[in-house]
Amino acid sequence: MMKLTLPTIILLVVSVAHAYPAIANELPDLGDVSATVLSPLQEQEIAEQIMRQVAVSDEVLNDVEVSDYLQALGGKLVANGPDKRQTFNFFVVQDPSINAFAMPGGVIGVHTGLILAATSESELASVLGHEIGHVTQRHLARMLASQKYDTFKNLAGIALALLVARSNPQLATGALTASSAIGVQNQLDYTREHEREADRIGLQILDSGGFDVRAMPEFFKTLQRGSRFAEGSAPSFLRTHPLTTERIADVANRVEQMHYKQVTDSVEFQYVKAKLRALQGGDQAAIDLFEQNIREQCYANAAAEHYGLAVALLRKSAWAQAEKELAWLKKNATPHPMIESLAARLEVARDKPAAAAEKYASALRIFPGSRALIYGYAEHYLATRQAEQAIQLVKSKQGLYPNDAYLYDLLAKAYTMQNKVLLSHQAQSEAYYRKYDLARAIEQMDLAAKANDGDFYQQSIVEARLRQLRQMMGDEKKAKL
């Protein structure tokens, strides 16, 4: 079975649009956008198309702890940015290259390689602040608005092409026809003025957010130095965000006029970096590196190093050694949900369901809002055929995360286990709705409405929701006419 990577999906979308014009015509036509900037509604539609692909892409890192950290960091920066009304979605791409990219509608992707390359949280924040600057100043929207699209007549094609072209220009060129790919990438080459403006906004956001503004020019210098030793293989961030000596000097001069702040990295930053290091490459190589760093005391945070070693050991199924590292963390580190989640997952891996349940329950009493713990405990209930307990847990936590699609996925599995057809399809519908897939949401809610195992109250809720979803689909189609 062919793996549907993002470039492959783009090629399929474009091929279908050409082969079946009727299908393409049902999608929103941007019209002659050369004379106008994309409207906020159009930008939001593009953002939803992108997030729909993000939800199913194998190239997006599916790790709730890493994702929640990035979303929290991005949210802190956005709260200190110039546009408080803009919605932002941050996600992590599993890719070792050093890159980050912004999309219309506030969608920002960050490669794992960039997180690992950042030597401080302020450096990572400086890149996010820069990308937020591109969004708030609507640079991509303005570039799109300056061109007529002959090949991409629908938002889906544009959204997917933008996503891959920004994250990996080479993949985009290989996936699309040469003229189409080059045309899209040409629209995405930021001008020097765009870059300077994003730098300026990013610095203001960093300063207001309490981060070290010196991190931005320092990270730029690090990237520039690194590219000198590898001819023709500069970091992706430098290829998509042209960096010049003048630009670095401009940022450095601005920093000189700002107040100095000594900022300590959050422990979440250190743990996330350690986790990513533990999961890349071979497990034994990661173990050897963590053990060497601990032995030589070569680290920024001892607890993070022991945590990373425990993750690598669990990955190798070296359970006894992983337990020793967790014991060290329990004794020497401040309690943290990432440590508790790892301890529970160790018991699951060792097939000790009672011990796993005890650790999840006790950890959630201390960290009731940890999505990793919520997910893990619910998955444990399902694995041990305790559907009702899984349902009760998920429902008790949905108020914290009403837009979490995976919580609805878990509910659907639990209801299926109980042979509750209406409730299973209803939950699956709500999951699809939160993945921006309205068509599948309607399909599942329709199946729920046709199920004959619900009571009058449940049936009424399903039928009302189905009418609402169909109304949304109708409004969406009208907007595309």
Side-chain angles (χ1 to χ4, degrees):
M1 182 175 180
M2 180 176 63
K3 179 182 177 182
L4 289 180
T5 62
L6 284 169
T8 306
I9 293 171
I10 290 177
L11 184 58
L12 291 174
V13 169
V14 175
S15 299
V16 169
H18 281 294
Y20 301 97
I23 294 177
N25 289 338
E26 291 177 2
L27 294 165
D29 189 344
L30 292 180
D32 184 0
V33 295
S34 62
T36 181
V37 176
L38 291 176
S39 71
L41 178 59
Q42 288 173 316
E43 285 195 57
Q44 186 57 37
E45 289 177 0
I46 293 176
E48 290 181 3
Q49 293 280 7
I50 296 169
M51 293 309 297
R52 185 184 303 174
Q53 298 305 322
V54 166
V56 298
S57 173
D58 291 336
E59 297 171 26
V60 174
L61 182 66
N62 185 25
D63 187 298
V64 67
E65 290 175 326
V66 178
S67 299
D68 277 0
Y69 165 71
L70 187 67
Q71 190 68 38
L73 177 61
K76 181 179 180 180
L77 293 166
V78 169
N80 288 279
D83 189 348
K84 308 296 190 299
R85 296 170 299 177
Q86 172 71 58
T87 299
F88 281 81
N89 287 292
F90 300 85
F91 65 95
V92 182
V93 179
Q94 181 68 57
D95 191 308
S97 63
I98 301 173
N99 204 8
F101 52 96
M103 309 298 301
V107 178
I108 294 179
V110 179
H111 288 200
T112 52
L114 187 139
I115 298 174
L116 290 171
T119 59
S120 71
E121 190 168 35
S122 289
E123 287 191 350
L124 175 58
S126 74
V127 175
L128 293 183
H130 178 93
E131 298 300 339
I132 291 168
H134 279 307
V135 172
T136 61
Q137 302 312 112
R138 304 189 73 201
H139 291 155
L140 278 165
R142 293 177 187 279
M143 285 189 285
L144 284 172
S146 67
Q147 298 295 325
K148 290 183 179 180
Y149 276 85
D150 296 323
T151 302
F152 299 100
K153 290 292 187 182
N154 58 76
L155 288 175
I158 293 175
L160 293 170
L162 285 171
L163 178 55
V164 175
R166 281 252 60 90
S167 64
N168 196 321
Q170 286 79 14
L171 281 179
T173 303
L176 301 170
T177 61
S179 60
S180 299
I182 294 171
V184 169
Q185 185 54 43
N186 285 342
Q187 314 314 319
L188 299 175
D189 288 337
Y190 290 121
T191 66
R192 291 185 179 184
E193 184 57 36
H194 287 156
E195 293 297 344
R196 284 196 297 268
E197 191 171 31
D199 289 341
R200 176 178 59 80
I201 297 296
L203 279 176
Q204 292 173 352
I205 293 173
L206 271 187
D207 190 39
S208 299
F211 293 95
D212 182 2
V213 293
R214 298 173 304 167
M216 182 177 283
E218 285 303 315
F219 195 46
F220 285 168
K221 290 176 185 176
T222 299
L223 293 177
Q224 192 179 53
R225 282 196 299 269
S227 67
R228 292 174 183 170
F229 300 102
E231 185 177 354
S233 59
S236 303
F237 189 79
L238 300 190
R239 293 197 299 269
T240 56
H241 300 71
L243 186 62
T244 63
T245 302
E246 291 79 10
R247 183 178 156 208
I248 294 177
D250 180 59
V251 172
N253 288 334
R254 290 179 183 276
V255 167
E256 289 296 322
Q257 309 304 315
M258 305 173 82
H259 294 296
Y260 167 74
K261 293 177 184 176
Q262 187 171 10
V263 181
T264 303
D265 294 335
S266 71
V267 68
E268 285 78 19
F269 171 73
Q270 297 291 352
Y271 283 163
V272 164
K273 277 197 64 176
K275 186 175 189 178
L276 292 177
R277 282 190 289 137
L279 295 177
Q280 70 174 359
D283 50 20
Q284 188 57 52
I287 291 169
D288 292 343
L289 180 59
F290 281 115
E291 288 181 336
Q292 179 181 343
N293 289 344
I294 292 171
R295 186 169 57 251
E296 298 176 359
Q297 297 186 353
C298 181
Y299 45 69
N301 183 296
E305 216 67 19
H306 283 275
Y307 170 79
L309 177 56
V311 172
L313 289 166
L314 178 57
R315 180 184 170 196
K316 193 183 178 182
S317 299
W319 299 327
Q321 292 171 274
E323 188 172 28
K324 288 182 181 178
E325 295 305 315
L326 282 165
W328 186 98
L329 288 165
K330 288 281 189 179
K331 180 180 179 181
N332 297 283
T334 302
H336 195 278
M338 290 181 71
I339 297 174
E340 299 298 331
S341 177
L342 182 61
R345 287 192 289 116
L346 174 60
E347 301 300 347
V348 170
R350 295 200 296 187
D351 196 21
K352 294 186 175 182
E358 181 181 349
K359 288 189 182 297
Y360 275 126
S362 62
L364 275 172
R365 285 194 290 269
I366 304 171
F367 306 105
S370 167
R371 286 207 300 169
L373 289 170
I374 296 167
Y375 286 4
Y377 202 7
E379 290 165 350
H380 169 72
Y381 276 139
L382 292 177
T384 54
R385 309 295 297 180
Q386 300 180 75
E388 188 58 36
Q389 287 87 337
I391 292 167
Q392 291 177 9
L393 172 64
V394 170
K395 284 191 169 183
S396 72
K397 299 299 182 180
Q398 281 185 307
L400 297 174
Y401 305 103
N403 295 316
D404 190 317
Y406 188 58
L407 290 180
Y408 281 98
D409 281 329
L410 291 169
L411 271 184
K413 291 177 182 178
Y415 285 131
T416 298
M417 196 175 289
Q418 294 181 329
N419 295 315
K420 294 181 178 179
V421 180
L422 179 147
L423 293 175
S424 177
H425 286 302
Q426 180 189 30
Q428 194 61 65
S429 171
E430 296 296 349
Y432 279 128
Y433 175 73
R434 284 156 179 79
K435 295 174 186 176
Y436 306 96
D437 196 336
L438 191 53
R440 288 190 176 182
I442 291 172
E443 179 184 84
Q444 287 295 315
M445 197 63 73
D446 185 52
L447 290 172
K450 293 174 181 176
N452 57 9
D453 65 337
D455 58 31
F456 176 78
Y457 178 70
Q458 292 169 338
Q459 195 73 33
S460 298
I461 292 175
V462 165
E463 289 173 356
R465 180 58 165 159
L466 180 58
R467 286 194 297 270
Q468 185 182 40
L469 293 173
R470 283 173 172 166
Q471 179 65 47
M472 291 179 189
M473 179 64 81
D475 290 342
E476 200 173 84
K477 287 182 178 179
K478 288 178 185 177
K480 296 171 184 177
L481 294 177

